[in-house]
């Protein structure tokens, strides 16, 4: 799957599930389309834009995009999954899209990303507010989702979080903003 393949599929969609703003449903298509917008506005491939404007300014030296599923990524943990008959097998992805996934990082670099929410170096306080302000539907109902992040309660505490999984990988970042405490799990 390439970006062009994904765009071809999206452009064949004949109608929307709902009128914009009437309902909300998490979908990677929106995240992918946001990455296309970044590329078109900046005139740069998303990995180059992110390296220059996010990773480098935050000191995230162990974060990269996997643009080619056949490429070798230094120190990459290989994913695996259970076999139906028992045991395990490697679970190699052939997904070549970037935008809605494809980032390889470390706990240390995610800590640098997390620190940006308390002391914004990239995007400033305006971006942090946009990412962490719950959206609203046309009827005024508040969502548990901001601009790319879930905003929820966990055991009575406010939490800002996002998770992802693909081909044997699982990642989660739980941020408890009032406690200035975060949990990062990569497995």
């Amino acid at each position: 799957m390439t970006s062009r393949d994904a765009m071809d599929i999206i452009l064949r969609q004949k109608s929307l599930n709902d009128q914009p703003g009437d309902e909300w449903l998490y979908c990677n298509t929106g995240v992918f389309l946001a990455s296309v917008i970044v590329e078109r506005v900046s005139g740069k491939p998303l990995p180059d834009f992110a390296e220059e404007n996010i990773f480098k300014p935050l000191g995230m030296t162990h974060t990269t995009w996997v643009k080619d599923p056949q490429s070798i990524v230094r120190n990459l943990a290989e994913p695996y999954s259970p076999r139906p008959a028992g045991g395990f097998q490697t679970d190699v992805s052939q997904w070549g899209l970037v935008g809605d996934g494809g980032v390889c990082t470390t706990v240390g670099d995610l800590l640098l990303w997390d620190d940006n929410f308390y002391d914004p170096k990239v995007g400033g306080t305006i971006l942090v507010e946009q990412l962490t302000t719950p959206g609203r539907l046309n009827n005024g109902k508040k969502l548990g989702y901001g601009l790319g992040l879930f905003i929820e309660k966990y055991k009575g505490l406010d939490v800002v979080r996002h998770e992802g999984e693909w081909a044997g990988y699982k990642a989660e970042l739980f941020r408890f903003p009032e406690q200035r405490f975060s949990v990062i799990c990569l497995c």
Side-chain angles (χ1 to χ4, degrees), residues 2 4 14 31-33 45 47-48 53-54 62-63 68 79-81 87 99 121-122 142-143 148 159 163 182:
T2 65
R4 183 73 251 159
K14 300 293 183 213
V31 181
F32 168 73
L33 290 173
D48 296 346
N53 294 283
I54 301 170
H62 297 95
T63 301
D68 175 2
Y80 58 90
S81 62
K121 294 177 183 76
V122 171
K142 190 165 113 174
L143 300 174
V159 65
E163 88 287 341
S182 297

Side-chain angles (χ1 to χ4, degrees), residues 34-35 38-39 42 44-65 99 103-105 108-117 119-124 127-128 131 147 175:
S35 75
V38 168
E39 288 184 342
S42 71
K44 299 177 181 181
L46 183 63
D48 296 346
F49 177 86
E51 175 66 29
E52 182 180 311
N53 294 283
I54 301 170
F55 304 154
K56 200 172 201 177
L58 293 179
M60 298 172 67
T61 58
H62 297 95
T63 301
T64 189
W65 293 84
V103 175
C104 286
T105 191
D109 273 11
L110 281 176
L111 179 61
L112 296 170
W113 166 253
D114 186 62
D115 286 346
N116 194 64
F117 283 80
D119 181 23
K121 294 177 183 76
V122 171
L127 177 63
V128 170
L131 292 170
L147 189 61
R175 177 181 307 107

Side-chain angles (χ1 to χ4, degrees), residues 36-102:
V36 172
I37 292 168
V38 168
E39 288 184 342
R40 291 182 180 181
V41 170
S42 71
K44 299 177 181 181
L46 183 63
D48 296 346
F49 177 86
E51 175 66 29
E52 182 180 311
N53 294 283
I54 301 170
F55 304 154
K56 200 172 201 177
L58 293 179
M60 298 172 67
T61 58
H62 297 95
T63 301
T64 189
W65 293 84
V66 178
K67 300 172 251 184
D68 175 2
Q70 301 300 315
S71 65
I72 296 172
V73 178
R74 185 173 181 226
N75 297 321
L76 179 69
E78 294 295 335
Y80 58 90
S81 62
R83 287 185 173 160
F88 292 90
Q89 63 189 8
T90 56
D91 213 347
V92 179
S93 171
Q94 293 302 313
W95 198 258
L97 290 177
V98 295
D100 63 329

Side-chain angles (χ1 to χ4, degrees), residues 21 23-25 133-137 140-146 151:
E23 293 291 330
W24 180 85
L25 179 67
T133 299
R136 290 196 179 270
L137 295 177
K141 178 183 172 189
K142 190 165 113 174
L143 300 174
Y145 195 75
I151 298 125

